Amino acid sequence: MIDWTPLRSALARCRQSKTPLPVWWRDDDAIAPTPQLDQLHTLSVRLDVPVHLAIIPAHAKDTLAEYMVSRPNLRPLVHGWAHQNHAEAGMKKSEFPHNDAACQSRASEGLKTLTNVFGSDLLPVFVPPWNRMDTGLSQHLKAAGYHAVSAFGPRKPQSGILHINTHIDPIFWRSTRGLVPPEQLIAQTVERIEARRNGTEDAAEPLGYLTHHLVHDPDIWAFSYAFLSELLDGGATPAHLGKDLA
């Protein structure tokens, strides 16, 4: 049994202080319709929360665009280019470890490819694989036509391209690849909420929930539904990222 009391209390404090809590949902690594994507879509409909689907351009199938036409709550973003690691040996994985011609070309090609597939439905948001990239790449992304970048962690004061990050990831990547202990996820969320409420983090940035539908087990699916339900019941509002991404 999950103890939601700390989260419910933090949400109550948000309501009392009239601190808004916009929430958005990003899911990574989509390339084609799958049973897991069906499950993600069903959950999105039940919650009435859109899922911003980070799609790998180099591997995306035409059938994915056809699938999403009738599912407007699935909103396409650009997930790098091919989700391949180009970092030097011993460094953390990154497809965009440098602000060089090769990285710039991959980023530009990702936007062009998915624009050809999704047209005006594509949101011009760059999601770097493994949530990391050379910070110098930002200016190129803006010039290439991207409106925002989405990685992981509270965004910092910035100039140039907008960042709309994610903050809570339920997958225990470094161990079981199952569900992170729920009490740990709740504590992380409370910390983010309190930081917004006391002004140490940007309260205008939507609180981002990050999932990876292709690798979810039943516990992750169940927690995702319960967690997002708790946020919404506690006064959080779904953030709908539009073309202006404001």
Side-chain angles (χ1 to χ4, degrees):
M1 181 72 71
I2 297 175
D3 181 9
W4 297 103
T5 304
L7 179 58
R8 292 171 181 171
S9 296
L11 291 168
R13 291 190 291 272
C14 261
R15 295 193 302 272
Q16 290 164 2
S17 64
K18 297 184 178 179
T19 303
L21 185 61
V23 173
W24 81 297
W25 186 357
R26 196 187 97 205
D27 185 278
D28 288 2
D29 299 347
I31 59 172
T34 61
Q36 296 96 325
L37 189 57
D38 285 339
Q39 191 165 356
L40 182 74
H41 173 255
T42 298
L43 199 60
S44 172
V45 171
R46 287 179 64 192
L47 290 163
D48 195 22
V49 177
V51 178
H52 299 79
L53 205 58
I55 298 167
I56 303 172
H59 305 307
K61 308 301 182 186
D62 290 341
T63 52
L64 180 59
E66 297 166 6
Y67 176 93
M68 291 173 65
V69 164
S70 60
R71 295 167 175 83
N73 55 314
L74 300 180
R75 302 180 178 178
L77 313 177
V78 183
H79 198 20
W81 170 241
H83 211 302
Q84 294 178 345
N85 179 31
H86 293 281
E88 291 80 3
M91 302 298 290
K92 290 183 177 179
K93 290 182 178 179
S94 175
E95 188 171 26
F96 299 87
H98 307 294
N99 181 26
D100 59 13
C103 287
Q104 291 177 3
S105 177
R106 287 193 290 270
S108 296
E109 192 61 29
L111 181 59
K112 291 176 185 176
T113 297
L114 291 190
T115 298
N116 288 337
V117 173
F118 292 98
S120 61
D121 289 335
L122 182 71
L123 294 176
V125 178
F126 183 75
V127 181
W130 298 286
N131 289 301
R132 62 178 66 95
M133 68 177 197
D134 187 288
T135 57
L137 194 63
S138 293
Q139 289 303 318
H140 170 76
L141 294 175
K142 191 170 183 178
Y146 287 100
H147 292 189
V149 170
S150 181
F152 191 84
R155 68 184 177 193
K156 297 176 173 60
Q158 59 204 300
S159 59
I161 199 163
L162 177 68
H163 282 67
I164 308 173
N165 289 344
T166 53
H167 309 88
I168 306 298
D169 183 343
I171 300 177
F172 203 164
W173 292 106
R174 295 183 180 180
S175 181
T176 62
R177 291 185 170 246
L179 180 66
V180 172
E183 62 274 13
Q184 183 176 330
L185 293 168
I186 290 169
Q188 291 170 359
T189 307
V190 169
E191 183 180 359
R192 297 281 73 76
I193 291 173
E194 290 299 326
R196 291 158 181 268
R197 204 169 63 84
N198 64 33
T200 58
E201 291 179 11
D202 186 352
E205 181 184 25
L207 181 71
Y209 186 59
L210 173 59
T211 55
H212 290 73
H213 66 281
L214 291 172
V215 298
H216 287 188
D217 64 19
D219 288 341
I220 294 170
W221 286 117
F223 177 85
S224 294
Y225 179 76
F227 175 71
L228 290 167
S229 295
E230 287 287 340
L231 289 176
L232 297 171
D233 290 346
T237 57
H240 297 258
L241 303 191
K243 282 291 179 183
D244 58 359
L245 306 173

